Amino acid sequence: MGETSNGSSSSSMSPVSVSSPSIVYVDLYGKRRQLAKVQVLEREIGVLQDEIKSLAELELASRCCKELEDFVEATPDPLIAVNQSRGRRRSCWKNFWRKIGSLIQCCCCCSTKGDCTCFPCAKDCCRGGRKKACSSGCCKCPEITCGCSCDSTCPKCSVCCCNSCLCF
Amino acid sequence: MSVAELKEKHKAATETLNSLRERLRDRRSQLLDTDVASYAKAQGKTPVAFGPTDLVCCRILQGHTGKVYSLDWTPEKNRIVSASQDGRLIVWNALTSQKTHAIKLPCAWVMTCAFSPTGQSVACGGLDSVCSIFDLNAALDKDGNLPVSRMLTGHKGYVSCCQYVADDDTRLITGSGDQTCVLWDITTGLRTSVFGGEYQSGHTADVSSVSINGSNSRIFVSGSCDATARLWDTRVASRAVRTFYGHEGDVNPVKFFPDGNRFGTGSDDGTCRLFDIRTGHQLQVYTPHQQQQKGDSITSIPSVTSIAFSISGRLLFTSYSNGDVFVWDTLLAEVVLNLGTLQNSHEARVSCLGLSADGSALCTGSWDTSLKIWAFGGHRTVI
C-alpha cells in the first residue's frame, strides 16, 4: 500500500461536520496504520503472556546441558584426537609415535597417483620438493598450492587455465 | 477512536510489552540453575587439547582479487563456493585447489553465497536486493559468462544471507536488510512465505544471518541488528516461534548446533551464545578472555563475524573483526586454539568460515582475498 506524506487520497480522507460551518478532514489513512501497529503490539503482548505461563512447566537448564553433553560425547569428531578424553598423559614416546604415525598415514595416501582424497596429506612429505609450473603460460602458479592467480587480461582465464595440477 | 488516542494506546502497549519482557527475563533467570561450562566441569570434563600441529592449514585457495565475504561447502563432494568484493563467485575443488567456475556477477556488490544440495547450482545476493541463481552446468553466454538462471526479486533491502533448504534445490531462504526473511520457490521465482515485515511480529532491524535446522528443515533461526535471534517455523510466517534476547549488540552469525535442538549466535558485543530452541534458555556465553578484563571500552571490543560448530559440537569456531579465529571447547567454554596466530594464518579479518559436510575440514575466508582450509594434522588412534 503506498504511503503519502499527507494522506491526501480522497478515499482515506473523510469530512466530519461539526457545529461550526468549517469542515475538518480526518486522516483515516494514518488511523489505519496506527491501528495495525497497536494490533501487532497486542499480539506480542499475548505471546509474552503465554510464554510466562508456560515457564511453570519448563525444564531447568541443567537438563538441556546434560542432553547437549550426551550428544557431544556420543558423536565422533574428525577434528579431535580419539584419545583426548583420557586427559594429558602424553609421553615423549607417544609424541614420537604420533609423528611417525602421521608420516605413515601421509605417505600411504600419497603413494597413489591422482587426486589426493585426504586433506592432511598436503604436507611437505607428500610434495617432496616437487615444484612444477602450470602448463599454461598465462597463469602464475604459487608453489604451495598451485592455486592460479589468473591474469584477468588473459582470454583463457575465465576459469583456472592450469591443467591438472601435479604439485601434490 | 482518533489517531491521537491510538498513539496513546500504542505507547501504553509498548510499556506493557517492555514490562512483560522484564518479567519474562527475571522468571527465566530462575530456571538457569547452571550453564554448559559449569555442568561439564562438575562432570569432571577436561578441555580438548590441541598441539601446535594438530590443526594445520593444508590448502590455500587464491584467485579472488577482493575481500572474501562468504563461502559455502557442497553437502557432498569437497567443493566450495566463495563470494568476493571483486564481484565474482568462484567454485573451488577444495582437494586440488583448482577453480572450476569463476562467475562474474551482474551486480558486483555481493554479500552472500550458497551451494544447492545437489551441487548443481549456486545462489548469491547482495546490495541489488536480489537473490540470483546460477546453474553450474549451463552454457556460457556470448561474453563467456555463466548466465543467471533465475532472479528472486521482492526484497526491499539488501540480501545479507541465503541458504538452500536441505535436499531441495528448489527452495531457499534469504535474510534481508528489509527486516524480513523469505522462503522462495526457485522454480517459479515467487515468494512462498515472508517472515516478519512491517505489520508482522518479526525483526525490527536488518536480518544479518539465517541457519536452517539440519534435523528439521521446517525450522530455521535468524539473527538481526535488533540484537535478537528468532526461531521460525516455515508453516507459520505470521510470527516467530520464539525470540531470544541476551545480546547487547547486533547479532551477526547464527548457526544450528549439530543436534538440531540448540543454536549458536555471534554478536557485535563480542560474545557468542548458545540457546536451546525448545526451552528458550540461554545455555552458555562465550566471552573471550581479553573482554573479561575490566576497562575495555565498548568501542574496542572485536565483533564476532562468523561461527561454525564441529560435527560433534565439541568445537566452536569463531572469527572476529580483529583477525582472531578462536577454537572453543564448547562444553567448557574455553579457547583451546587461536588459528589467527598459527603458521599460515590469514593476514586480515576472517569474514566467513564453514565446516565440510563430513566435518574433517574447516574453510576460512578472509579480507586478505584468500580462503584457507584447515584439517586435523595429528595422529588418530585406530580403534
Side-chain angles (χ1 to χ4, degrees), chain A residues 43-62:
Chain A
R43 199 167 27 181
E44 285 284 327
I45 287 169
V47 168
L48 283 175
Q49 285 169 337
D50 288 343
E51 193 171 339
I52 289 171
K53 278 183 204 162
S54 72
L55 290 181
E57 295 168 4
L58 214 57
E59 58 191 24
L60 296 174
S62 50

Side-chain angles (χ1 to χ4, degrees), chain B residues 186-330:
Chain B
I186 295 172
T187 312
T188 59
L190 299 176
R191 291 172 289 185
T192 304
S193 300
V194 179
F195 305 92
E198 198 169 2
Y199 298 110
Q200 305 291 329
S201 297
H203 284 296
T204 55
D206 302 16
V207 174
S208 51
S209 54
V210 293
S211 176
I212 302 176
N213 190 324
S215 310
N216 179 354
S217 59
R218 284 199 308 265
I219 302 294
F220 72 95
V221 66
S222 57
S224 167
C225 297
D226 65 10
T228 71
R230 289 177 203 242
L231 186 72
W232 302 89
D233 184 323
T234 55
R235 298 168 297 181
V236 182
S238 56
R239 65 170 182 84
V241 173
R242 197 185 291 281
T243 302
F244 299 84
Y245 298 92
H247 278 296
E248 296 170 2
D250 297 2
V251 174
N252 299 321
V254 292
K255 199 61 64 80
F256 261 100
F257 193 75
D259 72 352
N261 292 320
R262 263 68 58 169
F263 68 92
T265 55
S267 169
D268 277 1
D269 67 11
T271 69
C272 294
R273 295 175 195 238
L274 189 67
F275 294 94
D276 183 276
I277 65 169
R278 291 170 306 181
T279 60
H281 293 326
Q282 178 181 283
L283 298 179
Q284 186 63 51
V285 182
Y286 300 91
T287 306
H289 179 69
Q290 298 90 307
Q291 288 178 40
Q292 293 170 12
Q293 295 164 359
K294 291 181 182 176
D296 279 356
S297 69
I298 194 142
T299 53
S300 65
I301 296 174
S303 306
V304 179
T305 56
S306 189
I307 63 171
F309 288 101
S310 69
I311 203 168
S312 69
R314 184 65 191 261
L315 302 176
L316 168 62
F317 300 91
T318 57
S319 59
Y320 298 81
S321 53
N322 64 351
D324 284 335
V325 181
F326 288 156
V327 183
W328 294 83
D329 181 324
T330 314

Side-chain angles (χ1 to χ4, degrees), chain B residues 19 42 53 71 75 94 96 159 194 202 240 255 296 339 354 378:
Chain B
S19 162
T53 57
L71 67 89
T96 64
V159 174
V194 179
K255 199 61 64 80
D296 279 356
L339 297 181

Side-chain angles (χ1 to χ4, degrees), chain B residues 3 47 69 88 94 118 135 171-172 176 189 201 217 222 233-234 245 249 286 316 322 334 345 359 362 364 366 371:
Chain B
V3 170
Y69 287 141
R88 289 175 186 268
T118 62
D135 178 351
R171 291 193 304 153
L172 177 144
S176 170
S201 297
S217 59
S222 57
D233 184 323
T234 55
Y245 298 92
Y286 300 91
L316 168 62
N322 64 351
E334 291 182 21
S345 62
L362 170 77
T364 53
S366 169
L371 293 92

